[in-house]
Amino acid sequence: MLSLLTALVLTSPVNAQSGETMQAIEALVDEAMPTSSAPGLAYAVVERGTVQTSARGEMLLGSGRAVTADTPFQLGSISKSFTAMAVMQLVEAGEVSLDAGISTYLEEFNGQAGAAITVRELLSHTSGYSTLQGNQSHTDQTGGSDELAARVNRLAELVPAAQRGQRWWYSNANYLILGRLVEVVSGATFADYIESEILEPAGMNSSFVADGEVHETIATGHPPWFTGRRPVADRRTSRVMAPAGGVIASAADVARYLAIMTNGQDDLISAESKALMLQPANVASPFYGLGWFIDVENGDAYHTGLSPGVETIAALSLSEGRGVVVLVNASSGMGFGLTADLLSGIPAIALDDPYVSVGSQLSAKLFFVMLMSLPVFFVAGIVGAWLLRAGLRAKSGVSGHFSLWFPLLTTGTMSWAFLSLVPNLFSVPLNTLSLYQPDMVILLIASSVTGLALAVFRLGVFYLGRNEQIQA
């Protein structure tokens, strides 16, 4: 009945105001998509149950395979709202309590530091797990059906970085644990539960959950690649990350989901549970509910998503009954190929919110160009040090030795900053960052290696040359 109702809603006539909204969005896409260098895009707008969709471009760069409103994209962290809905279904069934400690349901937490963390704290990112703790790996290790259980076993052994309930700290760890909670309480795998209890009843027929396999029907991600783009090399979906980022859905299907979230009715979950999800969870989480960010100023709820080479956003107007989803099979580079105008501008128009373009990001572009230049500069320095070795070997005294050793200090500090500090600023290990910004990680490593090589080479030229002179 729910699927039939949703299908009927999708065929409702479009009013004049909705038509104007779509025209404004299309004008924005005309302007922003070329500068984003995104191969493809799909979006849908929901207004009081009426849904309109549009799509542009290709599923894979150069393939000629058109993106449509029914093309599945990996939703990234929008998936957290599905995991939260699954938990709320179990709460309504009396099988889970929001304020019970996680060790009540997952025995691996018994006696561990995180045993008392509540389900509500996991849902609202107030558990104490840090962003870095949740980003240690975004790929499957074995590909087996017990991948999620194994990851959560390791998470249970961690000491949370902060006391529970004291601060808001976005972490994928929270939703991996919740995904395992769904499995243990329901007796089904996470994928089977989401597909049978949410996707199928909602009429999301083009959607499914990551299973570790390659699916040709999915829009391929295109991460940044030295001011351009290239497709992701590994197109397998990640089973282990499914509760935090592995729901795969089309724009038309997400529109069905958003229509359900804004209809004020009891269906997949009660209207009361929907309202609870879409309001600040607690004092420590004033801008996040249960699986949704809350924009208090504009009266909206939203969630963004980032997968390798894919960026997404789903947003709701809590008072107007509006919703919008934008799916782009490209992710922003460092100043180049920015998708922000698409991902922020389309929702702003759809929900009648203020919006300012991100602009050209000239400073970010200059930084990236500088980063590309560093390895060339250091290699040129090595060549120059050899060609001018006579002058290098003539250095003497305090100032001479300072000029020889100081570059080792500066390039060593630079390498530490590039290989440790920068990943920590993103709250991800370098190997995880390479999935999302492969070109930048290559440049960070290349600059670090060539910079240290230059410093060491200069010292080698000096001391080996001096030894040869002494022996002569």
Side-chain angles (χ1 to χ4, degrees):
M1 176 64 72
L2 181 60
S3 297
L4 176 60
L5 175 61
T6 306
L8 290 173
V9 167
L10 289 173
T11 61
S12 299
V14 178
N15 60 37
Q17 183 176 356
S18 297
E20 292 175 1
T21 298
M22 293 298 287
Q23 289 176 5
I25 292 174
E26 287 293 301
L28 172 69
V29 174
D30 288 339
E31 181 179 350
M33 192 166 175
T35 58
S36 75
S37 69
L41 167 148
Y43 70 88
V45 177
V46 182
E47 186 170 357
R48 303 292 181 186
T50 299
V51 175
Q52 298 179 81
T53 63
S54 183
R56 303 272 189 101
E58 300 174 300
M59 294 172 58
L60 172 64
L61 188 63
S63 69
R65 297 168 58 200
V67 172
T68 73
D70 294 316
T71 299
F73 287 68
Q74 188 155 325
L75 296 185
S77 288
I78 296 174
S79 306
K80 291 179 172 67
S81 69
F82 288 85
T83 302
M85 178 178 280
V87 172
M88 294 308 297
Q89 288 179 333
L90 298 175
V91 169
E92 291 185 349
E95 297 179 10
V96 170
S97 170
L98 286 176
D99 296 310
I102 190 61
S103 62
T104 305
Y105 310 103
L106 302 182
E107 62 181 13
E108 55 264 44
F109 281 86
N110 287 332
Q112 300 290 355
I117 294 171
T118 68
V119 175
R120 190 189 304 271
E121 288 164 346
L122 291 166
L123 286 166
S124 60
H125 293 296
T126 55
S127 66
Y129 289 109
S130 69
T131 304
L132 184 60
Q133 286 177 314
N135 280 338
Q136 288 305 306
S137 174
H138 284 192
T139 57
D140 294 347
Q141 301 300 310
T142 66
S145 59
D146 62 345
E147 190 84 48
L148 179 59
R151 178 68 62 85
V152 172
N153 281 338
R154 293 195 293 274
L155 288 173
E157 297 173 354
L158 294 179
V159 176
Q163 291 187 349
R164 69 180 188 88
Q166 297 301 303
R167 63 170 292 180
W168 188 88
W169 211 340
Y170 187 87
S171 181
N172 286 320
N174 297 316
Y175 277 77
L176 298 184
I177 295 168
L178 290 168
R180 182 59 182 157
L181 166 69
V182 170
E183 290 189 332
V184 171
V185 173
S186 70
T189 66
F190 177 79
D192 286 346
Y193 184 92
I194 296 297
E195 290 173 359
S196 64
E197 301 301 321
I198 297 178
L199 302 184
E200 292 175 11
M204 299 176 67
N205 298 323
S206 299
S207 305
F208 57 98
V209 178
D211 56 7
E213 302 296 329
V214 175
H215 295 268
E216 296 298 332
T217 59
I218 301 176
T220 300
H222 295 78
W225 188 250
F226 299 105
T227 75
R229 298 199 179 279
R230 73 171 187 177
V232 292
D234 186 355
R235 296 172 57 195
R236 291 175 297 174
T237 59
S238 174
R239 186 195 299 266
V240 72
M241 290 301 294
V247 174
I248 297 162
S250 66
D253 277 359
V254 177
R256 292 176 169 89
Y257 174 65
L258 298 182
I260 290 168
M261 286 299 298
T262 57
N263 65 13
Q265 300 174 13
D266 298 340
D267 35 53
L268 294 180
I269 56 176
S270 67
E272 182 181 358
S273 291
K274 294 176 191 177
L276 183 63
M277 292 174 68
L278 298 172
Q279 64 188 34
N282 48 49
V283 174
S285 179
F287 304 111
Y288 200 90
L290 307 181
W292 289 89
F293 285 95
I294 311 300
D295 183 344
V296 176
E297 182 177 352
N298 291 317
D300 299 336
Y302 68 96
H303 217 298
T304 56
L306 174 63
S307 306
V310 179
E311 292 189 25
T312 63
I313 185 170
L316 302 168
S317 172
L318 303 182
S319 60
E320 299 296 327
R322 297 178 185 172
V324 58
V325 56
V326 185
L327 311 175
V328 183
N329 62 343
S331 52
S332 289
M334 184 65 69
F336 295 92
L338 300 179
T339 61
D341 282 339
L342 294 170
L343 292 159
S344 299
I346 294 174
I349 294 172
L351 303 184
D352 197 23
D353 288 339
Y355 168 70
V356 177
S357 171
V358 298
S360 64
Q361 296 289 297
L362 180 59
S363 59
K365 286 185 172 73
L366 291 175
F367 174 79
F368 191 76
V369 170
M370 180 202 72
L371 202 58
M372 287 196 294
S373 303
L374 280 179
V376 177
F377 172 79
F378 290 137
V379 170
I382 292 173
V383 174
W386 178 250
L387 295 177
L388 301 174
R389 58 189 178 278
L392 189 65
R393 289 168 176 168
K395 290 180 179 291
S396 62
V398 173
S399 62
H401 282 81
F402 178 81
S403 69
L404 285 167
W405 284 95
F406 185 68
L408 184 63
L409 173 64
T410 56
T411 57
T413 302
M414 180 196 71
S415 298
W416 167 80
F418 283 179
L419 302 182
S420 178
L421 181 60
V422 170
N424 283 334
L425 290 175
F426 285 95
S427 294
V428 293
L430 199 65
N431 64 324
T432 302
L433 183 60
S434 67
L435 298 174
Y436 300 89
Q437 297 283 335
D439 54 350
M440 185 174 74
V441 170
I442 288 172
L443 292 175
L444 292 175
I445 294 173
S447 297
S448 300
V449 171
T450 55
L452 285 172
L454 171 59
V456 172
F457 185 80
R458 292 176 79 252
L459 290 170
V461 168
F462 176 79
Y463 284 106
L464 290 176
R466 293 295 291 270
N467 289 339
E468 291 175 0
Q469 292 174 3
I470 293 173
Q471 292 172 2

